[in-house]
Amino acid sequence: MNYAVVLSRANQGLDAPLVRVEVHLSNGLPAFTVVGMPETAVRESKDRVRSALLNSHFEFPDRRITVNLAPADLPKGGGRFDLPIALGILCASGQLPGDALLSSECIGELALDGTLRAVRGTVAAAMAASQCKRRMVLAQESASLCQSIPGTHMVCATDLLSLCAVLRGRADPPEVESMEAPPVTTATNLAEVCGQHIPKRALEIAASGGHNLVLTGPPGTGKSLLANCLPGILPPPDDREWLTVCALYDLQGKIPEIRQRAFRAPHHSASAAALVGGGPIPMPGEISLAHGGVLFLDELPEFSRHALDMLREPLETGEIRLARANCSIRYPARFQLIAAMNPCPCGYAGDSEKPCKCSAAQRLSYGGRVSGPLLDRMDLQVRVDREDAVDLFSGHGAEDSVIVQGRVVQSRERQFKRQGTSNAQLRGSALLDSCACGPEERRLIQRSAKQLKLSARAVHRLLRVARSIADLRGEDTVTVTALKEALSYRDTLRPTQ
Ligand SMILES: [Zn+2]
């Protein structure tokens, strides 16, 4: 036999498309060619594979070796094809029986001495393989990450020689250590935040319905501290959500340290690529690492307008599509946006202690740095003011995050039972169905829409927030009380005159 096919997967977001690695040995002058749109790292795999085979005491065929990575129009990068190429050569040259790799997919980089190395994106590949009911052949280092994938079947080893022994059935596969992250929280406890009753209540509503929230106020009033409380009151991620988060981290070559909803707080100097993903070697950005959790943007107006505008699409669709030269890559990015900003450049507009030094024009242009369409997607807008010294010491007895989380979990359960999604995702007719209200409520909405000049989008936002307030209170319909409270969480961003 001079020909072998080994299945593998390319690194293209969470999609991980299938790649057939075809190896052909033919007569002629000894040569080693890789075709099928290989990027530099894949072209270099020739040298790694040759050394790894020789150092693992295999024979490197002294013939003309052609490796084709199909489909040819799919770009392929990284060292992930080292292992399938090496195994393909072993099968084609008869050093490994052809049926050893039946219904298997292989992924892994080889060191020159034959050691198997983990590669980015293995979790996504293993998820796709388990859906196709194929077993995964990979480095032991990656196996512990993939263990929690339901229905996954893996064969792993630390080096090429022992992997081949396992594949021939001559050795037992090594034990895989579980790498389950501990379910602890690094979030600030709400009980540690003194006073701030209205912002705390807004946080609870935001957590309950998955709403976006803007906190406005002078510096030093604890806006970041409040935002940092949010992961602690959100419902813990379920197994499926958690697996997606692990797969996204793995695409960046990282592992989440603890099992809680993400809290990502990129600096305002972060580039658009760092924020939404991309770069020469495509990688998920902060918004995808925040998938299922919180993206916190402190000093919102300081972010580049371009970067902020790129958030609009994922805020609507829950994913980001990045166009590349020859393909498009999709990363999940359903995050909850929490933003904090000062009311003006000096920060003290509307403050009770320090006077604001900014001109009206400065204040206007500061607020204008954040685009209207982005602000339009912020469901709740809350002002955070300085707490009186008296209140600072009366913080004892403030509610613990665990109690608030209990209410949030109950409210989420109501939402999923009723409409199969969180309130923040309600659109169109589903929104109107879920937010059934009586004649009195309708009159209130019409009156407010007229008085406050609310757009249709703003009315929808109001309804969604009111729905979450009603869910927290355990009410089936949206009441006047809920609507009135929802109305109070808006319009803090109009520049102070
Ligand atoms: Zn000012």
Side-chain angles (χ1 to χ4, degrees), residues 344-349 355-358 363:
C344 65
C346 84
Y348 292 100
C356 167
K357 296 191 190 99
C358 315
R363 283 199 293 258

Side-chain angles (χ1 to χ4, degrees), residues 7 12 128 136 161 230 233 333 376 386:
L7 298 180
Q12 203 182 80
M136 200 68 198
L161 191 64
L230 191 55
I233 58 173
D376 241 16
R386 211 179 293 280

Side-chain angles (χ1 to χ4, degrees), residues 248-375:
L248 283 164
Y249 267 73
D250 177 48
L251 287 174
Q252 271 215 357
K254 293 180 186 158
I255 308 165
E257 281 164 14
I258 47 166
R259 184 168 170 153
Q260 76 164 11
R261 289 192 184 267
F263 183 82
R264 305 292 303 186
H267 190 253
H268 55 71
S269 61
S271 67
L275 209 56
V276 301
I281 300 170
M283 280 208 230
E286 288 290 333
I287 60 167
S288 294
L289 297 184
H291 178 70
V294 180
L295 181 75
F296 176 51
L297 301 184
D298 199 3
E299 316 226 10
L300 187 69
E302 303 294 332
F303 279 82
S304 86
R305 183 82 182 244
H306 172 61
L308 290 183
D309 280 343
M310 293 196 60
L311 296 181
R312 276 155 54 185
E313 185 205 326
L315 275 173
E316 282 300 315
T317 60
E319 62 174 32
I320 179 95
R321 274 175 191 281
L322 302 170
R324 313 293 303 173
N326 30 32
C327 62
S328 99
I329 302 181
R330 189 180 58 93
Y331 295 117
R334 189 166 301 290
F335 57 90
Q336 196 171 344
L337 178 60
I338 307 296
M341 58 191 280
N342 295 338
C344 65
C346 84
Y348 292 100
D351 188 44
S352 50
E353 282 175 21
K354 277 197 179 180
C356 167
K357 296 191 190 99
C358 315
S359 68
Q362 275 176 317
R363 283 199 293 258
L364 254 167
S365 86
Y366 185 75
R369 280 194 222 167
V370 184
S371 73
L374 182 71
L375 287 181

